[in-house]
Amino acid sequence: KCYTLDCRNHGNSPWSDDMRLETLAQDVVDFVDQHDLGQVNVVGHSLGGKQACLVCALHPHVVRSAVVVDMFPVRLFAANFAETLEALLAVDAETLSSREEASRILEATFPVVNERNFILSNLVRQKGGGWSWRCNLPAIRDNVPHVKGYPDNVPVSDTPALFVYGGNSDYANAERIARTKELFSNSNYVEIKGA
C-alpha cells in the first residue's frame, strides 16, 4: 500500500500552530503506529524531505528506507519563500469573486503562469460560496524559523536513503551533499541532469 500524507497545515491535514520539524516527524510516526504499519519506506519532497530525514534520524525503528527529493538535512529554504507567503497572505480569499481575480492579484509577484497556477491550487471554493486557502498560511509564516533549519545534534542515521536532486537545483551543492553524507551513513545520490 501507498499512503500520501500532507504535512500539518498543508492540503487536507489538520491545522496547528506547531510546525517544528520534530513535531512533523512525530506526525509520521503517529500515522505509522495508528495504522499498525510496522517499518515503512518514506518518500519526501521539499519540506517533506526534511520531515523524512528527521524520521530516519529520530525514529529509525519506523523506517526501512527513505527517498528524499530536492532537499537535504541542512539549514535550507527557498530564498523567496517569505515573499511568497506575504503575497498569499495579502490576498483576502474570503472576498474573492473568482480564481481569475486571485491570479490577477498575484501576477506581479508570480509572473510565470505555471508557477502562479501551482500556487493557486491551494485556493479552494467553500461549500457555502467564497474562497479560502487550503493551507494555514499564518502558521506556516510563523514557523519559517523552525522549518528552514535542521536540528543540531541529531543522531547519524544508517537508514538506506536515496537523495535525488536536479542538476539545476538551487538546493544542491557539494557542501550540502557532504554534510548529508555525514548525517546519513548509508546514503546514495542521484542528480537529474537539466532539472
Side-chain angles (χ1 to χ4, degrees), residues 52-101:
C53 288
L54 211 53
V55 172
C56 292
L58 299 180
H59 308 282
H61 64 284
V62 172
V63 186
R64 184 179 305 118
S65 68
V67 177
V68 178
V69 181
D70 207 28
M71 185 52 67
F72 298 94
V74 297
R75 183 172 181 79
L76 176 64
F77 220 67
N80 65 344
F81 192 70
E83 176 185 308
T84 298
L85 284 174
E86 292 307 320
L88 297 180
L89 286 162
V91 175
D92 185 358
E94 293 178 9
T95 64
L96 290 172
S97 60
S98 66
R99 186 180 300 276
E100 291 73 26
E101 180 184 359

Side-chain angles (χ1 to χ4, degrees), residues 22-126:
E22 295 87 345
T23 306
L24 297 179
Q26 186 63 50
D27 288 345
V28 174
V29 174
D30 292 347
F31 182 88
V32 169
D33 289 346
Q34 289 166 5
H35 292 85
D36 197 26
L37 300 177
Q39 277 198 315
V40 297
N41 303 303
V42 295
V43 178
H45 169 256
S46 192
L47 177 58
K50 281 192 182 185
Q51 184 181 26
C53 288
L54 211 53
V55 172
C56 292
L58 299 180
H59 308 282
H61 64 284
V62 172
V63 186
R64 184 179 305 118
S65 68
V67 177
V68 178
V69 181
D70 207 28
M71 185 52 67
F72 298 94
V74 297
R75 183 172 181 79
L76 176 64
F77 220 67
N80 65 344
F81 192 70
E83 176 185 308
T84 298
L85 284 174
E86 292 307 320
L88 297 180
L89 286 162
V91 175
D92 185 358
E94 293 178 9
T95 64
L96 290 172
S97 60
S98 66
R99 186 180 300 276
E100 291 73 26
E101 180 184 359
S103 182
R104 284 191 300 276
I105 293 169
L106 293 172
E107 188 172 6
T109 306
F110 308 102
V112 178
V113 173
N114 289 343
E115 180 182 349
R116 192 167 62 248
N117 287 340
F118 173 73
I119 289 167
L120 286 171
S121 69
N122 287 291
L123 186 65
V124 293
R125 172 76 81 181
Q126 295 302 297

Side-chain angles (χ1 to χ4, degrees), residues 2 11-12 21 34 46 52 84 98 110 114 120 133 143 146 149 162 164 176 181-182 189:
C2 180
N12 294 319
L21 288 173
Q34 289 166 5
S46 192
T84 298
S98 66
F110 308 102
N114 289 343
L120 286 171
W133 292 109
N143 280 277
H146 300 297
L162 175 64
V164 181
R176 291 175 180 150
K181 288 179 179 179
E182 292 172 2
Y189 302 82

Side-chain angles (χ1 to χ4, degrees), residues 125-137:
R125 172 76 81 181
Q126 295 302 297
K127 289 181 182 164
W131 297 86
S132 68
W133 292 109
R134 182 184 328 242
C135 44
N136 185 350
L137 295 172

